[in-house]
Amino acid sequence: MTVVSKDKRKDANGSDSRREAEGRAHPLASVRNIGIIAHIDAGKTTTSERILYYSGKVHKIGEVHDGTATMDWMIQEQERGITITSAATTCFWQDHQINIIDTPGHVDFTVEVERSLRVLDGAVGVLCAVGGVQPQSETVWRQANKYSVPRLAFVNKMDRMGADFYNVVDQMQQKLKAPAVAIQLPIGAAETFKGLIDLISMKAMHFSEDDMGSKVEYVDIPADMAADAEAYRAELIEKVAEVDEELLEAYMDDAGVSESALIAALRRATIANDIVPVLVGSSLKNKGVQPLLDAVVSLLPSPLDIPAVEGVNPKSEKELSREASDFEPLTGLVFKMATDKFVGKLAFVRVYAGQLKKGQNIYNPRTKKRERIGRLLRLHANHREDIDVLYAGEIGGMVGQKLFTTGDTVCAENDPIVLENIEFPEPVISMAIEPKSTADKDALVDALKDLAEEDPTFRTSIHDETGQTIIEGMGELHLEIIRDRILREYKVQANAGKPMVAYRESVSAKGEGSFTFERTIGDENHFAALTLAVEPNGAGAGNIIQFDVSGKIIPDEYRKGIEEGIADALLTGVLGNYAIIDTAVTVIGGQAHDMDSSEMAFRSAAVMALREAVVQAGPVLLEPIMLLEIESPEEHLGDVMGDLNSRRGRIREIKASNDLQVVQADVPLAEVFGYATSLRSLTKGRASYSMEPQAFDPVPSHMTDAILNR
């Protein structure tokens, strides 16, 4: 990431172009927009609760295991002890405004991480000192890499048996390929963990036991750790100097680098994604959270430190950029929708530039319509605070916007811009749902519509043949939560069928298909002839549509209709009405009439020609494959392995982790429904697992007929 310092951003008159409005409570340079990201059960929400407590936002620490965590406000979160929806809040530390989004760790709710990282300037990756880098840790890290989000890492749970800080740092470097560098060292581990060493100030920190760790005592480094601390500080300076010329020059002049020079260089390297500083602590035991807050303020970027947001003018398609300034044209992104029983439809928005004011008209370039803002809110989990304006760099909520949805740009009509949209993964599981009574029918439709607007990975449709309402999501837990919310929030009684796998189709070879559309509709003749070729495009590569035919044979004016027809046909498939993926489609021939051809005719011809080509190309049925990571005691390993084999699982790796065996395996989604119950039974409740989508693989030929009811 290129970092442009504020003093280099000058307008034509030589003044700073990033001006700030007088009404701001905190200047842009002191704003931090951060997310808390991690694998499930690494301690994200527990860490967030301590941040809120120490910053004075709440006066009592809520605990996840008690169902009292502030950020886990949904009843479903409190019952299960997990985060389901990302919760936003604002707190203050050392005269800095910190906007925090606490994200889920469960793979079924990865959409919450994706859209949060899209609008954040920095992140804190929480890692378990015992589990280290776990599967979902890798997923959220890849998501942060995608958006080039600068990160700190917080190695949590140092009070747990088997905690190993140094092993976690090694895993970050090896598994995540992260430039991880320790800036703190733990004093002790497990039951002997009592504090930490700050390698920047070269002081030890102890945290009081009697007042929830609020008091931090700075003492001399223990004598038995002095040599290690010196060695790790030297390593820290060396690694930062490798990527920061200013520190290298200072180090060449004087090996005793000052604390302020090291912090400044570490900040530059962190913002440039050249370094990931690693901190340590135990959130549950109230150790290490205040230094983490200090690091957020001193090392993570403000909106001024990140590149200007880029977009395009929807009218001219010209590329635009907007600086983080209160006086730039309004530019914001709606990154989440929610339905609140008190305020109605709520749009979460990140303001990149300009000011978003209550009562002003805003423009949606997707719908080409304007709307008036009735209320603006500052968010704190499920509590709201009315405000009059959101300034550049801030995150808040808009109430009552009917035309906006996730990924829409908020801008001024006289100076429009469209920001890059957010990409979401495809659902992998589906089930049928129907109201228990006729009276519930309309209410169910409304509930499903609201939930689909909130969550882009949740979809609803009507099955063409049966007329059933089908809901699709990212996993069993995802759909279970949806069903629970329909019952509790919307008071709708509904029956749901068993989960169904969202299969896909593809082609195994090359094939060609032709179709001539010739029909008279009303008084008009419609003609189009089209020849298409299809071939595999590589696993995970997606679909592509290309033209290998001149404009003389098929005029350019019909290309849009052809593309739309191909896209429609790709959605329905030829084997079982499943979407076709990873296929390259090429238009190689055709014919048009000067008088009778139309876009509609070419669109219809494209649908039929593609189906013919796919049939000729050896269509195959694909099923989603999940990566399972199971942690099991040694004595139950045989039973776990045998069960995985019966589920068509392919073992990737088995490794020891303290007193547990960790098994990684690829297993078809169809075989893991109800796996949590089976695993508990096999291991007497002593094993745990996590799961995430990996790929789509061909279904074995002997199972294809059964799936397709042939």
Side-chain angles (χ1 to χ4, degrees):
M1 179 185 293
T2 303
V3 180
V4 182
S5 63
K6 183 179 176 182
D7 62 352
K8 292 181 180 177
R9 299 180 187 265
K10 306 293 182 180
D11 60 24
N13 298 318
S15 60
D16 193 334
S17 63
R18 292 198 165 192
R19 296 175 294 153
E20 296 170 0
E22 293 181 1
R24 292 190 73 102
H26 289 78
L28 262 171
S30 64
V31 173
R32 301 288 183 273
N33 293 307
I34 67 165
I36 312 293
I37 60 174
H39 182 88
I40 189 170
D41 203 31
K44 298 178 304 301
T45 302
T46 302
T47 302
S48 298
E49 292 297 317
R50 268 62 184 177
I51 288 174
L52 296 180
Y53 178 73
Y54 296 131
S55 65
K57 185 68 179 182
V58 297
H59 302 292
K60 181 182 178 182
I61 293 178
E63 300 292 6
V64 174
H65 54 269
D66 293 334
T68 57
T70 306
M71 302 298 272
D72 283 352
W73 57 270
M74 291 174 65
I75 186 68
Q76 293 85 358
E77 295 176 315
Q78 294 166 358
E79 289 176 348
R80 292 165 175 79
I82 62 171
T83 301
I84 292 170
T85 183
S86 54
T89 190
T90 299
C91 64
F92 301 91
W93 184 258
Q94 295 181 0
D95 292 325
H96 284 67
Q97 175 181 330
I98 305 177
N99 302 313
I100 302 172
I101 298 181
D102 176 31
T103 66
H106 197 287
V107 67
D108 283 17
F109 310 106
T110 188
V111 61
E112 297 287 345
V113 183
E114 184 80 20
R115 60 184 171 190
S116 298
L117 287 171
R118 170 67 174 80
V119 298
L120 292 171
D121 302 330
V124 176
V126 181
L127 297 156
C128 175
V130 180
V133 175
Q134 297 162 289
Q136 193 64 8
S137 309
E138 298 182 49
T139 301
V140 297
W141 207 264
R142 286 196 301 270
Q143 289 172 302
N145 286 339
K146 175 180 176 181
Y147 295 111
S148 299
V149 177
R151 274 146 283 174
L152 304 177
F154 181 63
V155 179
N156 189 28
K157 300 191 177 186
M158 278 302 299
D159 60 300
R160 290 264 306 272
M161 182 68 69
D164 188 339
F165 170 77
Y166 305 97
N167 180 52
V168 176
V169 177
D170 287 343
Q171 286 188 23
M172 288 183 66
Q173 294 167 345
Q174 294 166 15
K175 289 188 175 183
L176 302 180
K177 308 301 180 188
V181 181
I183 64 170
Q184 295 175 351
L185 300 180
I187 301 176
E191 68 275 3
T192 64
F193 177 63
K194 59 183 179 180
L196 56 91
I197 295 171
D198 179 13
L199 297 177
I200 297 175
S201 65
M202 289 302 280
K203 289 285 186 181
M205 297 183 191
H206 291 164
F207 301 85
S208 54
E209 298 284 348
D210 55 350
D211 62 348
M212 307 300 288
S214 293
K215 294 179 182 176
V216 182
E217 182 183 4
Y218 292 84
V219 298
D220 291 335
I221 295 173
D224 61 338
M225 293 193 68
D228 283 346
E230 289 288 351
Y232 275 95
R233 189 177 199 270
E235 181 184 349
L236 168 62
I237 294 172
E238 180 182 326
K239 290 195 173 182
V240 177
E242 287 177 1
V243 296
D244 188 87
E245 292 185 6
E246 288 187 41
L247 186 69
L248 179 60
E249 292 176 6
Y251 180 67
M252 297 296 287
D253 292 338
D254 182 5
V257 175
S258 69
E259 183 177 335
S260 59
L262 181 53
I263 290 174
L266 190 56
R267 174 180 172 78
R268 289 190 295 269
T270 302
I271 292 172
N273 274 314
D274 290 330
I275 290 288
V276 176
V278 185
L279 300 92
V280 66
S282 169
S283 297
L284 186 64
K285 299 298 182 182
N286 310 309
K287 292 179 172 65
V289 178
Q290 296 97 320
L292 175 62
L293 275 168
D294 290 340
V296 167
V297 166
S298 59
L299 301 180
L300 288 180
S302 75
L304 293 173
D305 296 310
I306 62 171
V309 66
E310 296 182 347
V312 296
N313 185 312
K315 298 175 182 177
S316 65
E317 297 297 321
K318 181 181 178 182
E319 292 186 0
L320 301 172
S321 64
R322 298 276 166 87
E323 306 279 3
S325 165
D326 295 333
F327 295 99
E328 283 271 302
L330 173 63
T331 305
L333 185 73
V334 173
F335 64 94
K336 179 177 176 177
M337 300 298 300
T339 302
D340 188 289
K341 62 182 178 180
F342 297 112
V343 301
K345 196 170 180 180
L346 178 63
F348 289 62
V349 60
R350 159 72 191 267
V351 181
Y352 286 98
Q355 302 175 49
L356 189 60
K357 297 179 180 178
K358 184 173 73 173
Q360 82 178 93
N361 287 322
I362 55 174
Y363 181 67
N364 185 338
R366 178 181 61 84
T367 61
K368 297 181 175 59
K369 293 182 179 180
R370 75 172 77 94
E371 277 194 274
R372 185 179 178 85
I373 297 179
R375 292 174 65 188
L376 280 178
L377 303 175
R378 194 178 304 285
L379 307 167
H380 177 50
N382 64 329
H383 301 294
R384 324 290 188 207
E385 173 193 344
D386 278 278
I387 56 175
D388 293 326
V389 59
L390 280 171
Y391 296 100
E394 293 191 325
I395 293 173
M398 305 186 297
V399 175
Q401 267 48 61
K402 298 178 181 179
L403 304 177
F404 282 84
T405 188
T406 302
D408 280 350
T409 301
V410 176
C411 61
E413 187 171 5
N414 61 352
D415 204 341
I417 186 173
V418 178
L419 302 181
E420 183 183 357
N421 210 327
I422 310 171
E423 295 181 3
F424 299 109
E426 292 291 314
V428 297
I429 188 172
S430 63
M431 66 169 59
I433 190 168
E434 59 185 19
K436 284 189 176 180
S437 66
T438 306
D440 286 321
K441 185 176 181 181
D442 291 341
L444 178 62
V445 171
D446 292 340
L448 293 176
K449 181 182 177 184
D450 283 349
L451 292 167
E453 286 180 352
E454 286 185 26
D455 184 352
T457 60
F458 170 67
R459 296 179 188 171
T460 177
S461 60
I462 304 296
H463 194 280
D464 291 338
E465 296 178 7
T466 65
Q468 287 180 303
T469 299
I470 305 297
I471 58 176
E472 297 178 273
M474 298 303 296
E476 280 187 281
L477 179 60
H478 189 192
L479 294 186
E480 179 189 324
I481 297 298
I482 293 289
R483 290 170 56 192
D484 197 49
R485 290 186 63 189
I486 289 171
L487 174 63
R488 295 194 187 187
E489 291 179 31
Y490 295 92
K491 312 297 183 190
V492 177
Q493 299 291 328
N495 295 319
K498 292 183 179 180
M500 299 176 288
V501 177
Y503 292 99
R504 295 288 185 267
E505 299 178 22
S506 192
V507 296
S508 59
K510 292 183 178 181
E512 290 186 12
S514 299
F515 189 82
T516 299
F517 183 89
E518 196 167 9
R519 190 170 300 175
T520 301
I521 302 174
D523 294 330
E524 294 185 13
N525 295 324
H526 294 270
F527 175 86
L530 204 60
T531 301
L532 303 179
V534 298
E535 61 182 324
N537 193 37
N543 296 324
I544 59 170
I545 301 172
Q546 51 201 357
F547 288 78
D548 187 15
V549 63
S550 75
K552 292 180 180 179
I553 297 175
I554 298 179
D556 292 344
E557 63 193 272
Y558 300 130
R559 291 198 172 195
K560 181 180 178 183
I562 293 171
E563 289 176 351
E564 291 175 350
I566 292 172
D568 289 344
L570 288 171
L571 286 175
T572 54
V574 299
L575 293 175
N577 291 324
Y578 301 113
I580 298 172
I581 63 171
D582 301 336
T583 299
V585 183
T586 306
V587 180
I588 59 174
Q591 185 180 355
H593 283 172
D594 293 339
M595 299 296 293
D596 293 342
S597 287
S598 65
E599 187 173 306
M600 182 274 290
F602 273 103
R603 181 170 182 160
S604 300
V607 172
M608 302 308 295
L610 181 75
R611 288 177 178 169
E612 174 65 23
V614 171
V615 169
Q616 299 301 319
V620 291
L621 191 65
L622 305 177
E623 61 180 344
I625 304 297
M626 313 300 287
L627 171 62
L628 262 66
E629 181 171 284
I630 303 134
E631 294 183 348
S632 171
E634 175 85 39
E635 60 265 34
H636 297 297
L637 182 61
D639 292 332
V640 169
M641 297 282 288
D643 182 63
L644 286 174
N645 288 331
S646 72
R647 295 173 185 270
R648 297 192 284 132
R650 297 192 302 269
I651 307 300
R652 283 191 179 193
E653 182 183 26
I654 303 174
K655 61 184 178 181
S657 177
N658 301 311
D659 57 341
L660 296 174
Q661 294 292 318
V662 180
V663 181
Q664 283 193 349
D666 292 324
V667 186
L669 175 62
E671 305 290 348
V672 292
F673 291 145
Y675 186 64
T677 303
S678 298
L679 187 64
R680 278 197 300 269
S681 176
L682 284 171
T683 63
K684 300 178 182 178
R686 296 176 63 196
S688 62
Y689 80 100
S690 62
M691 179 173 68
E692 63 176 301
Q694 279 298 103
F696 281 89
D697 279 358
V699 175
S701 56
H702 68 278
M703 298 179 63
T704 300
D705 289 346
I707 293 169
L708 297 175
N709 294 319
R710 294 194 303 208

